[in-house]
Amino acid sequence: MGLIAPPLALYVHMPWCVKKCPYCDFNSHGLRGEPPPYAAYVDTLLADLDADLADFGAAAHGRPIVSVFFGGGTPSLFAPEHIARFLDGARARLPFADDCEITLETNPGTVEHGRFDGYLAAGVNRLSFGIQSFDDDKLKRLGRIHSAADAEAAVKSAQDSGYVNLNLDLMYALPQQSLDGALADVERAIALAPTHISHYQLTLEPNTAFAANPPTLPDDDHAWAMQEACEARLAQAGYGQYEISAYARPDRRCRHNLNYWQFGDYLGIGAGAHGKLTDAAAGTVRRRWKSRHPRSYLEAAGGPARIGGDGPVSPAELPFEYMLNALRLHEGVPLEAFAERTGLAPERIAPALARAHARGWLQREPGRLHPTALGQRFLNDLIGLFLD
């Protein structure tokens, strides 16, 4: 079976934040001195998009954009008029699906009164709030600039502005956090009635302040107890788990992230943004990423220097790349999708599948890749079976 071009999304990276959090390993840069050149950055984003479309040719042209995601950094530092100008420019260059999901990440400590009305008018139809905790002590330990009261006020303000589709990010296994504390955060989130909750474990990532000076975190057994208890409470409240750390009301799963996990395509625009594109005619899957530092990205102004790296994913790497995403999904994926998205025959992964079944990490469902509960707990080991 040959490659079939999957849905195409658009990721837009906004690299600035008020202050770099000690656990964050994303490409984000705290504000220093003069405010960032927001308008010039939007110009550069559109020039970057033009250059990518010229480079990718028929592999990108004419394919409808199913979702747009403004990530960061803190995209809500950009005023609604900047977001509107980018979206208007992107629509002029690419067809957007009628039901295109457009998400903006926002920090509760950066949104001014009235901005939610502006984002809605600009076309943003989904907001994702980086709340992390409703415990003020934990927020200070995490280096967040908002309080629990700020978080609740921001969510309610967005709802008052007409937003229905909202995600709240929560973390657990925080410094000195108890099981009761983790559950209390989930209760506060549920009380705000979002459509989606992302609930993920704090981990110490390399090259972060926490990695250099590690806080005391709950051990693995306590972290697992928090995960199980919070999963159960979210399920009881009507939030179905569909990915390792994602829970949603019916029909409110994040389309953009689902496209990632199903090994879909996405154009990556902005400083440090990563993209993936399938060229069905050429039989290749290609990855491209952009220069990380905002200054060098701006100076490139859509020129070749904006590219930090580019090249095809080799057939030897494709099974691992695919499983790294697809096996995160709670319900798994059809086995035939592996061939459609990689161009490889299922026989290519037969030995790894046999090992996974023998260890009890995959369900024995003909024609489906579906992790067991044990496989979800040992997901990294399961995915590692598909390394070349």
Side-chain angles (χ1 to χ4, degrees):
M1 179 183 294
L3 274 173
I4 298 175
L8 180 64
L10 177 61
Y11 175 74
V12 187
H13 193 75
M14 310 304 224
W16 292 286
C17 54
V18 174
K19 184 180 73 170
K20 181 86 169 180
C21 295
Y23 58 84
C24 178
D25 68 337
F26 295 153
N27 184 35
S28 58
H29 303 262
L31 299 182
R32 295 176 183 175
E34 292 294 316
Y38 296 119
Y41 190 76
V42 173
D43 292 338
T44 306
L45 288 173
L46 292 171
D48 187 4
L49 181 57
D50 281 334
D52 271 5
L53 291 174
D55 289 347
F56 295 145
H61 281 283
R63 295 171 63 183
I65 297 297
V66 297
S67 64
V68 181
F69 196 100
F70 292 94
T74 304
S76 54
L77 287 173
F78 285 72
E81 54 266 30
H82 295 132
I83 301 299
R85 189 156 65 85
F86 175 80
L87 287 173
D88 289 345
R91 283 193 182 94
R93 292 159 169 82
L94 289 162
F96 277 35
D98 291 341
D99 60 349
C100 184
E101 175 193 85
I102 302 177
T103 302
L104 181 94
E105 287 187 332
T106 178
N107 184 319
T110 64
V111 182
E112 299 171 1
H113 180 71
R115 275 201 173 187
F116 292 125
D117 295 327
Y119 291 135
L120 193 61
V124 175
N125 51 34
R126 184 176 183 271
L127 294 175
S128 180
F129 285 92
I131 289 174
Q132 317 313 355
S133 177
F134 289 97
D135 182 317
D136 285 339
D137 174 68
K138 298 295 183 287
L139 289 170
K140 289 178 182 176
R141 291 176 185 272
L142 292 173
R144 304 297 289 173
I145 64 171
H146 68 273
S147 66
D150 292 335
E152 291 184 337
V155 173
K156 291 174 181 176
S157 177
Q159 291 167 330
D160 289 345
S161 294
Y163 274 100
V164 174
N165 203 3
L166 301 176
N167 170 65
L168 307 186
D169 277 349
L170 288 181
M171 303 173 84
Y172 68 94
L174 305 179
Q176 299 183 7
Q177 187 178 47
S178 65
L179 174 58
D180 287 345
L183 281 168
D185 276 346
V186 168
E187 291 292 349
R188 295 277 291 273
I190 291 170
L192 290 169
T195 51
H196 192 285
I197 294 176
S198 298
H199 186 254
Y200 52 98
Q201 182 177 349
L202 172 63
T203 54
L204 303 183
E205 301 295 341
N207 303 314
T208 63
F210 270 2
N213 187 21
T216 301
L217 302 181
D219 62 28
D220 288 345
D221 288 340
H222 284 90
W224 182 249
M226 291 178 191
Q227 181 178 330
E228 286 193 312
C230 292
E231 280 179 9
R233 180 65 189 99
L234 287 164
Q236 184 184 43
Y239 293 90
Q241 184 181 19
Y242 67 101
E243 187 266 346
I244 291 296
S245 56
Y247 304 78
R249 296 285 192 193
D251 300 320
R252 290 297 187 178
R253 296 178 176 187
C254 178
R255 296 181 198 167
H256 189 85
N257 287 341
L258 267 175
N259 191 51
Y260 288 152
W261 297 322
Q262 293 169 345
F263 213 51
D265 283 353
Y266 47 100
L267 298 170
I269 304 301
H274 284 241
K276 167 189 170 285
L277 197 70
T278 300
D279 188 333
T284 59
V285 176
R286 177 178 180 177
R287 288 203 182 275
R288 168 177 284 187
W289 55 98
K290 304 300 169 57
S291 173
R292 287 179 57 85
H293 200 280
R295 184 182 298 111
S296 60
Y297 177 78
L298 282 159
E299 288 172 352
R306 79 192 190 285
I307 300 173
D310 189 13
V313 183
S314 71
E317 297 171 309
L318 277 170
F320 176 76
E321 290 266 345
Y322 180 83
M323 298 300 175
L324 184 65
N325 293 280
L327 292 182
R328 294 181 63 90
L329 290 169
H330 205 59
E331 299 165 359
V333 291
L335 180 58
E336 65 182 16
F338 170 77
E340 293 172 355
R341 300 289 164 95
T342 66
L344 302 175
E347 289 76 19
R348 185 72 173 262
I349 56 172
L353 292 179
R355 290 193 294 272
H357 284 125
R359 297 177 189 183
W361 292 346
L362 282 179
Q363 305 276 7
R364 293 192 177 274
E365 294 182 28
R368 192 163 192 84
L369 300 169
H370 188 178
T372 62
L374 187 65
Q376 289 169 357
R377 183 166 186 181
F378 294 98
L379 185 61
N380 289 339
D381 299 296
L382 169 58
I383 294 168
L385 295 177
F386 297 90
L387 281 167
D388 182 50

